[in-house]
């Protein structure tokens, strides 16, 4: 059974590249070669931001002379938002950690085609985890904002 999908055909310019064209080629070549580094740095940066927002969450909910703080007593919506925010941030942290953690890769030394496939798989893996982490971080931040609004409205 044949696969009806064909590789996309690249249309190449037949003219010599202008300086601008050469710069564009260089930019995209650099982007591709540094993509894994970029994804790792983005993961680390996201982990730092999540840790900062977790500190804010703990400051809002746990730091008081009495636990729970008076503004959380009897405020069930706020309690639910605390738990939801914590879960979303921890899931975001887990996804970002998965994207940035070192892993053992088996790379075929003499098969360049297979190397390219493995590199694409590694990049896709990291990218998906980072996207998930970003979405969860955004949802956690939204939940934190709703938590703060809920607390303010109860005061």
């Amino acid at each position: 059974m044949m696969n009806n999908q064909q590789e996309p055909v690249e249309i190449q310019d037949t003219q010599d590249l202008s300086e601008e064209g050469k710069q564009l080629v260089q930019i995209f070549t650099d982007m591709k070669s540094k993509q894994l580094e970029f994804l790792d740095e983005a993961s680390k940066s996201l982990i730092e931001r999540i840790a900062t927002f977790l500190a804010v969450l703990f400051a809002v909910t746990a730091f008081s002379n009495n636990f729970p703080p008076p503004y959380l007593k009897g405020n069930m919506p706020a309690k639910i938002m605390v738990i939801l925010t914590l879960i979303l941030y921890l899931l975001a942290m887990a996804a970002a950690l998965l994207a940035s953690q070192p892993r053992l890769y088996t790379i075929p030394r003499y098969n360049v085609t297979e190397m390219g496939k493995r590199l694409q798989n590694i990049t896709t893996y990291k990218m998906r985890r980072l996207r998930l982490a970003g979405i969860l971080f955004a949802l956690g931040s939204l939940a934190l904002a709703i938590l703060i609004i809920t607390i303010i409205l109860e005061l």
Side-chain angles (χ1 to χ4, degrees):
M1 192 167 183
M2 288 184 55
N3 187 353
N4 290 336
Q5 292 180 339
Q6 295 179 347
E7 292 291 319
V9 177
E10 290 186 30
I11 299 173
Q12 298 182 357
D13 293 330
T14 57
Q15 303 171 0
D16 288 336
L17 289 176
S18 65
E19 278 304 309
E20 184 179 334
K22 289 177 185 177
Q23 288 174 351
L24 285 172
V25 168
Q26 187 60 45
I27 288 169
F28 282 104
T29 302
D30 289 346
M31 283 174 58
K32 186 171 183 172
S33 71
K34 295 177 183 175
Q35 191 170 29
L36 288 177
E37 290 174 47
F38 171 78
L39 291 171
D40 286 339
E41 290 303 316
S43 296
K44 292 173 189 175
S45 174
L46 188 56
I47 290 167
E48 291 170 2
R49 283 183 271 155
I50 293 166
T52 300
F53 277 73
L54 277 171
V56 170
L57 176 65
F58 288 132
V60 167
T61 59
F63 298 123
S64 174
N65 291 338
N66 301 322
F67 183 81
Y71 50 81
L72 285 181
K73 288 181 182 173
N75 189 347
M76 187 54 81
K79 290 178 184 179
I80 291 169
M81 292 311 298
V82 166
I83 293 168
L84 178 62
T85 304
L86 182 61
I87 290 170
L88 288 168
Y89 279 149
L90 291 177
L91 289 173
M93 177 91 65
L97 283 169
L98 284 172
S100 66
Q101 288 301 304
R103 298 177 47 166
L104 191 58
Y105 300 107
T106 54
I107 309 295
R109 288 182 168 225
Y110 304 107
N111 187 338
V112 177
T113 303
E114 191 60 31
M115 282 179 167
K117 288 179 185 176
R118 298 275 171 95
L119 181 60
Q120 185 60 44
N121 289 343
I122 293 166
T123 304
T124 301
Y125 174 87
K126 288 178 175 281
M127 206 176 292
R128 285 182 180 155
R129 284 0 173 240
L130 190 55
R131 282 183 186 150
L132 177 61
I135 291 168
L136 290 168
F137 176 72
L139 291 173
S141 298
L142 179 64
L144 180 61
I146 293 170
L147 166 64
I148 293 169
I149 291 169
T150 303
I151 291 170
I152 290 171
L153 291 177
E154 287 292 318
L155 291 180

